[in-house]
Amino acid sequence: MIEFNSLNKLDSLDKLVCRRDVMAKKDLLSIYDLSAKEIKALLSKSFEFKSKKKSLDVFKGKILGLIFEKPSTRTMVSFTTAMLQLGGTPVFLNTENLQRKRGESVHDTAAVLSRYLNGIMVRAFKHSDVEEFAKYSTIPVINGLTDYEHPCQILADIMTIMEFHKAKTIGALKKIKIVFTGDSNNIANSLLAISAVLGLDFTLISPKEYLPKKEILNKALGYTSSTGATIKITSDVGEAKNADVIYTDVWTSMGFEAEERKRKKAFSPYQVNGELLKKASSKCIVLHCLPAIRGEEITEEIMDKYEDSIFTQAENRLYVQKAILLHFLGTAG
Ligand code: CP
Ligand code: NVA
């Protein structure tokens, strides 16, 4: 039992606990949350992590929560490894066991988890859920993929393009023709966004009925006059001409399984295959965020031929996650 005298001593502690100071926090929900300067800094830090390959102890005592509403291999393992190699602790929060599954609100979940953790990575079906999570959390929230964007992936993709094309500056990156062919989904949206913010040369090739929505396109186009980005949106695969990078993703993203048959038919002319590569520049590399369905959006032959760029792209996720964690959690309490 606490005595009256010691209760008086607890007075200051009481004030401390009740007057919960909320430190300013920054989230990574979309590529648009980053300025060109921040993207450059994140890429430079990622290259530093890759070249040194050593662990840092900067996150001792810090805990990162990981929530996956959808399956994951690369995002789950690269964030877990990154956190451990930075001296912190990752905690995998199984959505099957969280009270969210029984209807606890995003609001309450975010507020409570903020009291335990130093940061949280969320992979969700709905982008609006991640936005709501960020709204009610007092710790940094990182988007690990939603139906709208996959910002962590796209930073690793740009790192890979710079690496394979030996582009040491954003100026050099601007001269590289990047072509995405396939579904205008989360990956395409984030590529479009980063191209707009950095001023890149980006062509998106997709069947008419799958082209990006007006508001997504307009947001990107809003940057072109200030950044000098060249954005081309088309349904003509001939526009892959002279591509230095050809990027694709699955035709049926997670959450769209019911449309699989229809999608296979619509996207078949947009496959990454030997014919398409003939249109590209001689130094063209192929990228795929993975997982791939060999024989659908990309042929077995092209997957094997370009496995170095594709698997390096996956490897680079690790260095980028470290840079992201340092940038977003490093400044939070
Ligand atoms: N590219 C990517 O995010 O892979 P996972 O779904 O395996 O995390
Ligand atoms: N567009 C894919 C990306 C997987 C990393 C999906 O959302 O399933």
Side-chain angles (χ1 to χ4, degrees):
M1 193 176 144
I2 302 173
E3 294 193 355
F4 183 71
N5 274 353
S6 45
L7 259 182
N8 279 347
K9 282 184 206 145
L10 282 177
D11 234 21
S12 55
L13 176 66
D14 190 39
K15 276 182 204 136
L16 189 76
V17 173
C18 296
R19 207 197 62 240
R20 192 178 150 73
D21 286 326
V22 177
M23 292 183 69
K25 60 115 180 184
K26 189 170 155 61
D27 307 302
L28 176 56
L29 307 188
S30 158
I31 284 292
Y32 292 114
D33 291 332
L34 299 168
S35 64
K37 197 173 158 202
E38 280 177 301
I39 295 173
K40 279 184 227 168
L42 284 168
L43 290 168
S44 146
K45 200 74 200 167
S46 306
F47 277 114
E48 200 183 311
F49 276 123
K50 185 162 188 170
S51 67
K52 288 189 184 143
K53 287 236 167 89
K54 68 169 192 197
S55 302
L56 282 179
D57 238 8
V58 286
F59 281 163
K60 204 154 183 268
K62 289 205 179 189
I63 304 171
L64 176 76
L66 298 157
I67 294 183
F68 288 91
E69 288 181 4
K70 307 181 192 182
S72 172
T73 298
R74 283 143 287 269
T75 309
M76 179 175 65
V77 180
S78 58
F79 264 112
T80 303
T81 308
M83 196 60 189
L84 288 169
Q85 288 184 351
L86 290 173
T89 307
V91 176
F92 182 80
L93 301 162
N94 189 344
T95 48
E96 283 302 302
N97 299 337
L98 291 176
Q99 293 285 10
R100 260 295 282 145
K101 172 130 189 185
R102 293 179 54 247
E104 186 170 18
S105 68
V106 171
H107 180 153
D108 296 352
T109 307
V112 171
L113 290 179
S114 297
R115 304 280 178 126
Y116 305 133
L117 305 169
N118 301 96
I120 190 145
M121 190 241 74
V122 186
R123 169 169 289 195
F125 281 95
K126 283 161 51 194
H127 190 76
S128 54
D129 276 353
V130 178
E131 286 177 329
E132 199 179 343
F133 207 101
K135 181 175 172 190
Y136 294 110
S137 86
T138 54
I139 54 173
V141 176
I142 297 165
N143 173 1
L145 179 147
T146 62
D147 55 353
Y148 174 58
E149 270 213 48
H150 196 0
C152 305
Q153 172 72 54
I154 260 51
L155 289 165
D157 303 340
I158 297 297
M159 179 183 179
T160 311
I161 295 170
M162 293 180 87
E163 195 176 337
F164 275 78
H165 278 293
K166 298 187 175 30
K168 294 208 168 106
T169 61
I170 300 299
L173 187 64
K174 287 179 187 219
K175 297 197 181 97
I176 294 167
K177 177 171 175 176
I178 304 170
V179 172
F180 178 93
T181 171
D183 188 17
S184 306
N185 54 13
N186 39 21
I187 294 290
N189 289 345
S190 292
L191 258 179
L192 179 63
I194 208 160
S195 301
V197 174
L198 292 181
L200 308 185
D201 179 349
F202 178 59
T203 301
L204 171 55
I205 309 176
S206 199
K208 272 202 182 70
E209 60 275 36
Y210 293 95
L211 288 172
K213 288 196 191 92
K214 235 190 203 147
E215 60 272 21
I216 290 177
L217 190 54
N218 286 344
K219 183 154 188 179
L221 294 178
Y223 281 78
T224 53
S225 58
S226 59
T227 65
T230 307
I231 309 266
K232 192 177 271 177
I233 310 290
T234 174
S235 296
D236 176 9
V237 287
E239 295 291 347
K241 197 170 163 230
N242 297 329
D244 299 309
V245 177
I246 289 187
Y247 191 152
T248 194
D249 181 16
V250 286
W251 292 338
T252 304
S253 285
M254 292 178 277
F256 293 84
E257 289 79 4
E259 299 175 13
E260 192 173 346
R261 202 129 56 101
K262 188 177 130 209
R263 285 172 166 268
K264 263 190 196 170
K265 206 167 154 213
F267 288 112
S268 65
Y270 298 85
Q271 187 190 52
V272 175
N273 53 32
E275 273 311 297
L276 186 75
L277 263 298
K278 277 188 198 157
K279 301 183 204 299
S281 85
S282 55
K283 54 184 195 312
C284 184
I285 60 163
V286 173
L287 296 182
H288 194 308
C289 56
L290 302 177
I293 304 186
R294 290 169 180 247
E296 274 197 21
E297 74 278 2
I298 187 165
T299 58
E300 186 91 39
E301 174 213 350
I302 297 296
M303 254 316 268
D304 289 341
K305 187 168 172 194
Y306 293 92
E307 66 165 33
D308 191 22
S309 50
I310 294 170
F311 294 150
T312 300
Q313 184 186 0
E315 178 192 338
N316 286 342
R317 298 286 309 273
L318 175 64
Y319 315 116
V320 165
Q321 316 303 33
K322 286 187 187 180
I324 290 171
L325 289 171
L326 210 57
H327 186 76
F328 287 87
L329 266 67
T331 53

